[in-house]
Amino acid sequence: MLKKEKIPKVTIQRMAVYLQMLEELEEEGEEVVSSTRLAELCGVNSSQIRKDLAYFGEFGVRGVGYYVRDLIASIKHFLGIQKVWNCAIVGIGNLGRAILRYKDLSKKGYKIVGAFDCDPFKIGERVGDLEIICTRRLKEKAKDLNIKIGIITTPPNRAQRAANHIVEAGIKAIVNFAPTRIQVPDDVIVDYVDFSTHLIYLSFSLSNLGK
Amino acid sequence: MLKKEKIPKVTIQRMAVYLQMLEELEEEGEEVVSSTRLAELCGVNSSQIRKDLAYFGEFGVRGVGYYVRDLIASIKHFLGIQKVWNCAIVGIGNLGRAILRYKDLSKKGYKIVGAFDCDPFKIGERVGDLEIICTRRLKEKAKDLNIKIGIITTPPNRAQRAANHIVEAGIKAIVNFAPTRIQVPDDVIVDYVDFSTHLIYLSFSLSNLGK
DNA sequence: GACTGTGAAACAATTCACAGCG
DNA sequence: CGCTGTGAATTGTTTCACAGTC
C-alpha cells in the first residue's frame, strides 16, 4: 500500500491534524466529508489534503467525499497507531509531571510506562501510578518495559546526559522539550518541542505585520 | 535593514535555534564562531545559516566568522526580543501551571502577566505571584496589562471559547497547546504546539525505518 | 588563507486544472 | 453533477560553488 517514495515530514504532521479533526467530526455525527470541507477546518488547501492522502493510497469516493469513520481507521493504520507505543519520561519537573498527568495520551496510542530522574530526593516518589526511578537504571528498564520513545523534560544543561542514557538504552526516538540541541547517533530520530521558538515566531510576526 | 522580501517561517524558527546555541557558546566563553561550526551544532547546512542571516543583513567578517556576542545582540534586535512581551495564559490545568512556573521565559523576553480560567473553583487561587482571574475579564485586563500574546492551555473542547475571548480582547497572536484547531479572524496569528503530532511523527518514522 | 555573502542550480512542496469516475 | 486523484505548472527552500574581502 505504502509507496516507496519518501513521505515528507510535513505530510505526517498534517496527517495528525486531519486525524484530530476527523475525530471531532465523527463525534459530531458527520459520516462523510469532502476534501474542501476538511481543508477549511484544518486551514489548508483542499488539494493538499488529496495529495497527502495519495501518498498512502486511495480512500475517497468520487462525487461523494470520504467516509469519516473509514478514513480515521485508514489513517490510524498507516500511521502505525492502532498499537500502543510505550514511552519514558526523563526529568520529572513541572513539565514532566504535567505530561504524566495528561490522560488523553493513552487514548491516542501512547503510554508512559517509566518516569526517570537523577535527583536522589525524587527517586522513589510516586507520580500517578508510576514510581520515579533513577535515570541510570533506564537501560535495564527499557528492555523490561519495551520502551520505544524517550521524552526529555530536564533542564537544558541536563538534556545531553538524558539523551545519552536514552541512546544507551537502545531507544531510537526522542522528543526533546529542553530548550537546547542534543547530539545523537544518526539512527536515532529527534524531534524538538520548544515553546520559546513559537513565542519568537509570534513576536517577530507581530513586529513585522504588513511588511 | 530588513529587506522587503518575505521571510519564511522556517527561517525565523531556525533563528531561534541559532540564538539558543550562540548563547550556550557565549557562556562557554567562545568569542567567534564560523557558520560551519554553528551549523554542526545546530544540525543544519552551513550555507543555510548564511542565507538565513542574509535576510536581515550582513553580520559576519570574511576570513573570520561571526562575533558571538555581537551576533546575539543583532539577532535579538531584528527578532524584536530586546523588549519584553506580555502574555496571558488561558486554562490553568497541569500544563498551564507548568508554564507559569517556568522561570526562564522572562530571561527570554516573555512575561506571563495574567492567568485566566473559567472554573469558579479556581478563580482567586494564587499560582506563583499571579491570581487566577475569570476568563470573561480577559478583555478588560488585556488593556491594563498590555497583553500581546495569548496562550491557550485549556482542554480541547474549551479552546475555541478561549480563542474567542482572546480575539475579543484585541490580542493578535495565539499559541494553542490544546490538541484542536481554532478559527480566528485573518489578522490573528495562531501557532500550534501539539505534543501528539510529534509523537505521531516519531512512531511513524520508527515503523518505516529504511523505507 | 579562511570564511562570508550570494547568484545560480537543484530539489521539494504546494497549488492549479482537469480527466475520470460514482 | 460533484468530488476525487493526479500530472503539470508554480512557488518556495536548500544546497552548491565561487567571487569578494578581511
Side-chain angles (χ1 to χ4, degrees):
Chain A
M1 173 204 265
L2 205 57
K3 294 176 187 171
K4 250 172 282 161
E5 201 179 344
K6 195 189 168 290
I7 296 164
K9 180 173 177 176
V10 279
T11 290
I12 304 301
Q13 291 172 343
R14 279 192 301 262
M15 237 48 235
V17 174
Y18 305 156
L19 182 58
Q20 222 166 55
M21 194 49 73
L22 286 164
E23 285 179 330
E24 284 183 32
L25 287 170
E26 194 189 26
E27 267 186 36
E28 287 161 17
E30 303 281 338
E31 298 192 348
V32 176
V33 70
S34 68
S35 57
T36 311
R37 171 106 181 82
L38 186 58
E40 239 166 49
L41 293 167
C42 298
V44 302
N45 180 295
S46 68
S47 47
Q48 180 96 83
I49 292 187
R50 299 197 298 275
K51 263 278 154 65
D52 283 340
L53 288 170
Y55 280 108
F56 302 96
E58 302 192 5
F59 305 100
V61 183
R62 287 160 201 241
V64 179
Y66 302 87
Y67 290 103
V68 174
R69 181 187 293 270
D70 293 354
L71 188 54
I72 290 172
S74 305
I75 292 177
K76 282 192 175 173
H77 179 260
F78 60 64
L79 289 184
I81 46 180
Q82 346 77 299
K83 65 168 184 162
V84 173
W85 291 84
N86 288 342
C87 308
I89 296 214
V90 185
I92 312 300
N94 295 320
L95 180 59
R97 283 168 212 267
I99 293 173
L100 280 166
R101 293 196 197 101
Y102 177 37
K103 289 296 169 197
D104 276 12
L105 267 192
S106 59
K107 280 186 209 148
K108 301 194 178 190
Y110 299 90
K111 192 171 176 209
I112 292 164
V113 297
F116 298 85
D117 202 294
C118 62
D119 177 350
F121 290 102
K122 287 181 185 165
I123 290 163
E125 187 191 325
R126 295 198 74 84
V127 185
D129 38 44
L130 291 177
E131 189 181 305
I132 299 176
I133 300 172
C134 177
T135 310
R136 257 173 276 141
R137 295 179 57 204
L138 179 56
K139 188 174 182 178
E140 115 205 20
K141 286 286 176 183
K143 269 81 192 177
D144 300 352
L145 298 169
N146 191 30
I147 293 168
K148 296 296 185 197
I149 298 175
I151 301 165
I152 299 177
T153 48
T154 63
N157 57 355
R158 295 280 169 76
Q160 184 61 56
R161 250 179 294 170
N164 296 346
H165 281 292
I166 291 170
V167 170
E168 261 287 294
I171 296 168
K172 300 294 184 197
I174 297 176
V175 188
N176 182 17
F177 281 88
T180 185
R181 299 286 112 171
I182 54 179
Q183 308 294 326
V184 298
D186 280 352
D187 64 336
V188 178
I189 314 156
V190 182
D191 208 16
Y192 292 89
V193 184
D194 188 347
F195 185 30
S196 62
T197 299
H198 293 265
L199 289 175
I200 286 174
Y201 166 67
L202 288 180
S203 52
F204 174 78
S205 304
L206 287 174
S207 307
N208 293 80
L209 284 181
K211 287 187 194 165
Chain B
M1 173 204 266
L2 206 55
K3 294 175 188 173
K4 250 173 279 161
E5 202 177 344
K6 193 187 170 289
I7 296 164
K9 181 173 176 176
V10 279
T11 290
I12 305 301
Q13 292 171 339
R14 279 193 300 262
M15 237 46 237
V17 174
Y18 304 157
L19 182 57
Q20 224 164 55
M21 195 49 74
L22 286 163
E23 285 178 332
E24 285 183 31
L25 288 170
E26 195 189 25
E27 267 186 36
E28 288 162 16
E30 303 281 336
E31 297 193 348
V32 176
V33 70
S34 68
S35 57
T36 311
R37 172 107 181 82
L38 186 58
E40 240 165 50
L41 292 168
C42 298
V44 302
N45 180 295
S46 68
S47 47
Q48 181 96 83
I49 293 188
R50 298 197 298 275
K51 262 278 153 67
D52 283 340
L53 288 170
Y55 280 108
F56 302 96
E58 304 191 3
F59 305 99
V61 183
R62 287 161 200 239
V64 179
Y66 301 87
Y67 289 102
V68 174
R69 179 187 296 270
D70 292 355
L71 188 53
I72 289 172
S74 304
I75 293 178
K76 282 192 175 174
H77 179 260
F78 61 64
L79 288 184
I81 45 179
Q82 347 76 297
K83 67 168 183 161
V84 173
W85 291 84
N86 288 342
C87 309
I89 296 213
V90 185
I92 313 301
N94 296 320
L95 180 59
R97 283 168 211 267
I99 293 173
L100 279 165
R101 293 196 198 100
Y102 178 37
K103 289 295 169 198
D104 277 11
L105 267 193
S106 59
K107 279 187 209 150
K108 300 191 179 194
Y110 299 90
K111 192 170 178 210
I112 293 165
V113 297
F116 298 85
D117 201 294
C118 62
D119 177 351
F121 290 101
K122 287 182 185 164
I123 290 163
E125 188 191 324
R126 296 198 73 83
V127 184
D129 38 44
L130 291 177
E131 190 181 307
I132 299 176
I133 301 173
C134 178
T135 310
R136 257 172 276 140
R137 295 178 56 202
L138 179 56
K139 188 173 181 177
E140 114 205 20
K141 286 286 176 182
K143 268 82 192 176
D144 301 352
L145 298 169
N146 191 29
I147 293 168
K148 296 295 184 199
I149 298 176
I151 301 165
I152 299 177
T153 48
T154 63
N157 58 356
R158 294 280 168 75
Q160 184 62 58
R161 249 180 295 169
N164 296 346
H165 281 292
I166 291 170
V167 170
E168 261 287 293
I171 296 167
K172 300 295 184 198
I174 296 176
V175 188
N176 182 18
F177 281 87
T180 186
R181 301 286 114 171
I182 54 178
Q183 308 294 327
V184 299
D186 281 352
D187 64 335
V188 178
I189 314 156
V190 181
D191 208 17
Y192 292 91
V193 184
D194 187 346
F195 185 31
S196 61
T197 299
H198 293 264
L199 290 174
I200 287 174
Y201 165 67
L202 289 181
S203 52
F204 175 78
S205 304
L206 288 175
S207 306
N208 294 80
L209 284 180
K211 286 185 195 168

